Amino acid sequence: EPEVTQTPSHQVTQMGQEVILRCVPISNHLYFYWYRQILGQKVEFLVSFYNNEISEKSEIFDDQFSVERPDGSNFTLKIRSTKLEDSAMYFCASSEVGQYQETQYFGPGTRLLVL
Amino acid sequence: ELKVEQNPLFLSMQEGKNYTIYCNYSTTSDRLYWYRQDPGKSLESLFVLLSNGAVKQEGRLMASLDTKARLSTLHITAAVHDLSATYFCAVDRGETSGSRLTFGEGTQLTVNP
């Protein structure tokens, strides 16, 4: 069964460093998303992406964040200068377009720890 | 601002018992999703409820949607230990494709032998 994959599974970085989280969405899906989940809290939306541009972003997704689809399969989230409060599990998700039942399928997540 | 509230947030139950998790939301959207998350793992899609009165069942779990009351329920029948996990409901605005999901806080379910 097709699934969303993410790399790395864990990332430890120093405050102020740049990190890039990578995702490979399900191949026939055209909507891509990033969510994050701070430990013990609920899942929060960051950004959605369609047709090579951001379609929606939350107030969390400030200038420190960017997304990119560098090729036909990868979808990346970049955090330019990490802060301690960026420590969280980051989930990538994807969904089909044109289907009313638009379930978002989530990847396994990248656990980011900022020291 | 769209709000999604679940209760209870913590639920400890014995095997064989029945219980219901409630999800209230503030939007007029009629697209509601239930996900399961095991500790340290990703979110697994359980149900998608698309219209008023929708009911879906999978094994010991049954989800329903009342869009007039803006309420969804996840009913657990004869719980078993394998159902121990955190259950999230989520809503999108239902206006366009690719809408963001707004999640509830999650219900952490522990089923004891």
Side-chain angles (χ1 to χ4, degrees):
Chain A
E1 184 176 331
E3 57 184 23
V4 177
T5 59
Q6 290 184 243
T7 54
S9 58
H10 295 79
Q11 173 102 41
V12 180
T13 189
Q14 295 291 322
M15 190 169 56
Q17 295 297 303
E18 173 183 289
V19 295
I20 297 176
L21 311 182
R22 292 183 167 78
C23 167
V24 179
I26 294 173
S27 62
N28 64 333
H29 287 186
L30 295 177
Y31 268 102
F32 315 125
Y33 313 83
W34 285 101
Y35 292 83
R36 77 174 186 190
Q37 184 180 32
I38 295 170
L39 187 63
Q41 298 186 22
K42 66 179 177 181
V43 179
E44 301 175 291
F45 169 80
L46 293 177
V47 65
S48 60
F49 192 86
Y50 171 70
N51 200 24
N52 283 320
E53 59 183 23
I54 291 174
S55 51
E56 188 179 5
K57 59 183 180 180
S58 73
E59 58 281 359
I60 302 169
F61 194 88
D62 61 21
D63 292 344
Q64 293 300 312
F65 291 89
S66 63
V67 289
E68 191 179 28
R69 182 123 162 107
D71 55 43
S73 60
N74 289 283
F75 178 52
T76 62
L77 174 69
K78 182 193 290 186
I79 309 175
R80 287 190 186 83
S81 179
T82 49
K83 306 184 184 73
L84 295 176
E85 54 265 35
D86 293 329
S87 295
M89 180 75 96
Y90 287 80
F91 292 108
C92 175
S94 69
S95 65
E96 294 182 82
V97 176
Q99 304 286 330
Y100 188 56
Q101 182 177 325
E102 292 177 8
T103 299
Q104 294 182 21
Y105 295 92
F106 285 75
T110 294
R111 184 171 296 283
L112 176 66
L113 178 61
V114 182
L115 302 176
Chain B
E1 181 190 343
L2 171 53
K3 291 184 180 175
V4 181
E5 294 180 345
Q6 288 181 236
N7 72 85
L9 299 183
F10 298 93
L11 177 55
S12 180
M13 56 191 296
Q14 285 190 310
E15 281 191 328
K17 299 293 187 184
N18 304 331
Y19 209 85
T20 300
I21 299 170
Y22 298 88
C23 174
N24 290 275
Y25 57 96
S26 63
T27 182
T28 55
S29 170
D30 57 3
R31 293 208 298 233
L32 188 133
Y33 307 78
W34 283 97
Y35 286 88
R36 166 181 171 146
Q37 184 180 42
D38 291 299
K41 302 291 185 182
S42 186
L43 293 110
E44 174 191 355
S45 176
L46 294 175
F47 301 108
V48 181
L49 302 167
L50 301 176
S51 60
N52 188 41
V55 177
K56 290 198 175 176
Q57 182 161 7
E58 181 75 31
R60 301 175 188 273
L61 300 177
M62 183 174 71
S64 66
L65 178 63
D66 180 344
T67 58
K68 291 184 172 58
R70 298 181 186 174
L71 170 69
S72 179
T73 60
L74 181 66
H75 186 72
I76 304 153
T77 302
V80 293
H81 180 69
D82 286 352
L83 290 180
S84 297
T86 299
Y87 294 85
F88 290 95
C89 65
V91 177
D92 70 27
R93 288 197 295 267
E95 297 165 349
T96 60
S97 295
S99 295
R100 68 165 77 180
L101 291 179
T102 299
F103 283 81
E105 294 173 311
T107 297
Q108 187 175 318
L109 170 66
T110 303
V111 181
N112 302 303

